[in-house]
Amino acid sequence: MKSRILLLSLALYALMSCAQVQQGHEMLFNGHDLTGWVAVTDTAAGVSADDVFSVGDGCITVAGKPFGYLRTEKVYTDYKLHVEWRWVGEGTNSGIFQRIRPGDGLWPDAIECQLKAGNAGDFVCLGRSRLAEVDAGPDVMFPVKKRNSPSGTIENPDGEWNTAEIICEGKKITVYINGSLENEGTAGEVAGYIALQSEGGPLEFRNIYIEEKCSRATSLPRGEKDAALSEAVDRFIEATETVPQAPQYLNLHSIMILKHGQVMEERWLNGAGPDIPHPMWSVSKTFTSAAVGLAVSEGAFSIDDKVISFFPDQLPDTISDNLAAMTVKDLLTMTCGHDSECMGKIGAPGCDWVTAFLAHPVDHAPGTYYLYNSVGTYMLSAIVQKTTGEKVLDYLDTRLFTPLGIDRPWWDESPRGINCGGWGLYVKTEDMAKLGQLLLQGGVWNSEQILPAEWVKEMTSRQVPCVPSGVDRNNLEALGYTTETSDWMQGYGYQMWMCRHGAFRADGANGQYIIVFPERDAVLVLTTDSNMYQPYLDIVWEYLLPVL
């Protein structure tokens, strides 16, 4: 059966930010009028607009013809396109496609997509790629199909209306199909198509309109330049380029220093910039800890709750005493009892990460044995989602990101649609600084208690002794790890490391740091691409600590 396709084409340029959301919207389709849009069809196939589009009863009907387009030449800044659609007649939907055209030079160099549940079914994105790394001709297609369905089809009865919204804010395109399909790139100009394809009857569309919307990003206050601090930063940067251990790996991307709540220094190197999100790696864990603290404060669960209580349908056949005893707090403190991580297992095709974690041997009594465990943090994300009904990214949106003015963060998901928790978050350097300042202020932001004060105190205090990630505890002394020399031997809180010099930090692979100095009322943020960790912190203590 022939496919019925509608492609909505939008071009937008010079994306901007503003402080307030603009209210109101422009109706593009109202009754029998489609203002500012034109119908385009495949003339090479002998198809005309009259063959494809018809209007009646307040709806546009797309007939069973290939490649029918609606296109506008209008330019919208930070917009939302709203469309309501339904299948008519018999048949099923074979997929929903995001079509992108890199050939026109306007598309971002990286597109990643995710889609969550809606009334038309439970979807997952099967495609993920960087355009520069694929050779797929002028179009690159990302198929989205129903989870756990070999045919990828969904039932969509006649008369059931669905909502699709495309939101483009700043440098991010977001598409909502009864949920969220997010495609993020770094280009400032974007253009493309949304394709809805059916192997059943024609499609009907109604209530098509554009609503312009502005960015919610806010900036931290800037302080006056401090000559001594600027000179120290210069010397710090020079030192990162000449450290004898492995200078080629100390690749600094950004540095931001806050004192008394004001940005005193900010530097961008090696292609980084203030508006470019950076992979957080395990700094993601600290954001997940914030989500757990908020959920606990709202009564969703307790840190003393047993982990197995949240996942009764995903437990192994035999539940050991250690597994049965494992609590949320054990996940928070990396003391769930595993002797090894199960990261190697979750990469298997079709693996349910929760099931894999629960099936992994719990060799030690929970709470007694520290092992850095990123999948344990994924379990925290899964618990938040299970108990609140929201992904951690969505749950934090109104509770943390909006109050702090963190605009459009991105968080990778597991195949089951759960934010990775222990990794996968992308935010900007200043966003990291905002979280550090929030923790420094005991969870208060603009005179409002954003995070519970007691939770901030617990997550930023030593809860358990710890050892460096991936290091055999029996070889610590031989490898030179001591409490006097290592910032990975100072203790662990709730998804945060304690440091020497009275500091604590969020810490991510390849050198991502939010370092908070309570005694100095200062926050230091570093983003890097480095495999040298302690040498970087040693240089921080040598060059920056004295001037904070």
Side-chain angles (χ1 to χ4, degrees), residues 143-460:
V144 181
K145 296 182 179 179
K146 185 179 181 182
R147 184 180 304 133
N148 299 328
S149 172
S151 65
T153 62
I154 61 172
E155 296 298 328
N156 193 235
D158 182 21
E160 180 180 349
W161 285 98
N162 303 277
T163 298
E165 291 183 335
I166 306 168
I167 299 179
C168 192
E169 301 173 318
K171 296 180 179 179
K172 180 175 180 179
I173 305 168
T174 307
V175 180
Y176 292 93
I177 311 272
N178 296 320
S180 62
L181 165 61
E182 299 189 350
N183 307 282
E184 180 170 2
T186 57
E189 298 177 343
V190 294
Y193 308 97
I194 298 298
L196 302 176
Q197 176 174 313
S198 170
E199 293 183 355
L203 301 174
E204 282 188 345
F205 293 82
R206 69 180 185 186
N207 294 337
I208 304 174
Y209 61 83
I210 287 285
E211 179 179 321
E212 291 193 276
K213 185 177 181 181
C214 294
S215 170
R216 66 187 181 193
T218 57
S219 297
L220 291 165
R222 265 56 180 175
E224 295 183 6
K225 278 286 185 179
D226 182 308
L229 182 59
S230 295
E231 181 181 351
V233 171
D234 290 339
R235 292 167 53 224
F236 168 79
I237 292 173
E238 182 180 356
T240 67
E241 297 170 348
T242 59
V243 65
Q245 287 92 334
Q248 68 271 28
Y249 294 120
L250 295 187
N251 187 16
L252 182 63
H253 289 172
S254 70
I255 177 172
M256 182 171 285
I257 298 174
L258 278 63
K259 293 185 67 175
H260 312 307
Q262 295 185 321
V263 178
M264 305 301 295
E265 277 291 334
E266 51 189 314
R267 306 286 182 92
W268 314 96
L269 303 93
N270 298 308
D275 296 324
I276 300 177
H278 201 280
M280 292 292 96
W281 298 99
S282 287
V283 169
S284 308
K285 292 178 170 67
T286 302
F287 285 86
T288 300
S289 178
V292 172
L294 287 164
V296 168
S297 71
E298 293 175 1
F301 56 89
S302 162
I303 62 171
D304 296 321
D305 287 345
K306 300 297 191 288
V307 173
I308 62 172
S309 69
F310 299 102
F311 309 104
D313 299 330
Q314 294 165 277
L315 298 175
D317 293 337
T318 301
I319 301 173
S320 68
D321 291 342
N322 285 342
L323 175 59
M326 188 191 303
T327 66
V328 172
K329 185 174 181 178
D330 298 325
L331 298 177
L332 285 164
T333 57
M334 301 287 187
T335 59
C336 64
H338 288 173
D339 199 52
S340 63
E341 270 203 275
C342 62
M343 283 293 289
K345 296 180 179 179
I346 66 173
C351 176
D352 181 331
W353 296 5
V354 169
T355 301
F357 178 90
L358 295 172
H360 199 62
V362 185
D363 306 281
H364 308 275
T368 67
Y369 188 87
Y370 178 90
L371 176 78
Y372 195 77
N373 198 326
S374 292
V375 187
T377 312
Y378 172 78
M379 294 296 291
L380 292 172
S381 176
I383 290 170
V384 170
Q385 184 165 330
K386 188 74 175 284
T387 57
T388 68
E390 294 183 273
K391 297 176 184 178
V392 167
L393 182 66
D394 298 328
Y395 183 74
L396 289 177
D397 185 66
T398 57
R399 295 167 175 84
L400 182 75
F401 296 136
T402 296
L404 269 58
I406 295 177
D407 204 27
R408 294 177 294 274
W410 171 262
W411 210 322
D412 289 338
E413 298 181 357
S414 72
R416 296 302 176 99
I418 299 171
N419 291 132
C420 294
W423 67 96
L425 177 65
Y426 294 78
V427 295
K428 298 181 283 293
T429 298
E430 188 162 344
D431 300 333
M432 300 169 69
K434 290 173 181 176
L435 179 62
Q437 187 65 32
L438 176 69
L439 297 177
L440 178 62
Q441 295 170 175
V444 175
W445 195 262
N446 290 334
S447 302
E448 181 182 354
Q449 193 74 47
I450 302 300
L451 285 179
E454 187 61 28
W455 185 264
V456 173
K457 180 180 179 181
E458 292 179 5
M459 69 184 289
T460 62

Side-chain angles (χ1 to χ4, degrees), residues 470-489:
V471 175
D472 185 342
R473 65 188 61 238
N474 297 315
N475 294 329
L476 290 173
E477 186 175 349
L479 295 172
Y481 288 101
T482 68
T483 54
E484 289 74 27
T485 62
S486 174
D487 286 289
W488 281 264
M489 298 281 289

